[in-house]
Amino acid sequence: MSNFGAASTADDVLEGQDLTGKLAFITGGASGLGQETARAMAAKGAQVIIAGRDPGKLGEAAAAIREGSDSVLVETILCDLASLDSIRACAKSAASRFDRIDLLINNAGVMACPFARTADGFEMQFGTNHIGHFLLTNLLIPLIKKGDQPRIVNLSSRGHHLDQVDHDDPHFDHRDYEKWAAYGQSKTANIQFTVGLEKSLAEHGIHSYAVHPGGIMTNLGRHMTDDDMKWMMARFKSEGGDGPKLKTIPQGAATTCYAATAAELAGTGGVYLEDCHIAKVDDTDTNGSVRSYALDPVKAERLWDISQAMVGESFAY
């Protein structure tokens, strides 16, 4: 059991750790949780690579991370997760620039956006949050295999309680679009992808974790309306019993850092963590748990199959 909890910060989790020699590749590293994760890891000696689609924002974030960590081992790489071409270009660039990846942190995402499609025609939330990371992760596996006790961390959310993956219509081609259902579907997919990765890669010494960072105000919520905020606050209150329990960004990054580095998780993967603990499986509890459908190996295999079809590549290890 972990000694950390909801109030722990990324620095708390990494206290006493030496990440010198580790290379951490972090999507969505130009702001919010990704930037804080990168700063905290860089402060402990890790070389960090932050991936994003905006060169200007990446440059500003890298400068802030260097200043905040007192480390020069901070680099940037371009990657638009809403474009398969951009993802493939990113993976090719990574293969030419780096000799390994020890920690892959799939942190980037979009939430509750109006209906839109990615460059390849996928529903934006499913396409970015899951399909983009599905392709990027699989293309980076050759580098990850060269890592030292490598781990993959996929940021999910308690939002996965909102909906399962509709494996027959993930892009809302034949049903009315509902932004929160789409978000929930994408977050369930993040967990099922974690299960699929663990099945494929555990024998190679690569373990995968899904994490719920907690409720945090970051630019992930940039599409939220006033009504969305009222709904979310009411949901927090109903779940927590005594009102909203929002975390700070350093607190939100803690479970990511825990999943990526905790010694007690060595050899154990395919799990969902929140508040720096492996969550219990419960299909009714609204106050902290993972739904059984998210960890279902049959559903995870189905997701893997349809994801391969979407990106036009097959992956087996």
Side-chain angles (χ1 to χ4, degrees), residues 34-139:
Q35 182 173 329
E36 172 62 8
T37 300
R39 182 209 60 78
M41 290 184 170
K44 294 301 181 182
Q47 177 184 0
V48 298
I49 315 301
I50 57 171
R53 62 183 179 179
D54 186 317
K57 291 181 179 178
L58 282 172
E60 292 173 4
I65 293 166
R66 292 186 191 106
E67 181 177 356
S69 65
D70 197 26
S71 171
V72 297
L73 301 178
V74 183
E75 299 181 55
T76 66
I77 191 167
L78 288 176
C79 186
D80 182 354
L81 289 164
S83 165
L84 299 184
D85 285 346
S86 176
I87 293 164
R88 291 187 172 102
C90 173
K92 185 175 181 180
S93 175
S96 69
R97 292 171 56 186
F98 314 122
D99 63 356
R100 75 198 184 286
I101 292 174
D102 302 293
L103 305 172
L104 174 61
I105 313 295
N106 288 324
N107 166 87
V110 293
M111 180 176 75
C113 59
F115 183 77
R117 293 194 182 275
T118 68
D120 303 279
F122 308 138
E123 185 277 314
M124 185 62 72
Q125 296 188 77
F126 189 80
T128 302
N129 297 349
H130 169 61
I131 292 296
H133 282 122
F134 176 85
L135 179 59
L136 179 64
T137 300
N138 278 297
L139 293 178

Side-chain angles (χ1 to χ4, degrees), residues 246-267:
L246 293 177
K247 292 186 178 183
T248 65
I249 288 176
Q251 289 171 337
T255 304
T256 297
C257 291
Y258 178 78
T261 64
E264 55 264 38
L265 294 177

Side-chain angles (χ1 to χ4, degrees), residues 207-220:
H207 293 286
S208 302
Y209 309 86
V211 304
H212 168 46
I216 308 119
M217 289 302 174
T218 70
N219 65 359
L220 179 67

Side-chain angles (χ1 to χ4, degrees), residues 159-167 175 181-182 184-186 188-189 192 291-294 296 299:
H160 84 275
H161 290 190
L162 297 171
D163 209 353
Q164 302 191 39
V165 176
D166 186 330
H167 296 99
R175 53 186 172 133
Q185 171 181 249
S186 73
T188 294
Q192 291 179 358
R291 297 295 187 248
S292 61
Y293 55 72
D296 186 324
K299 294 181 185 295

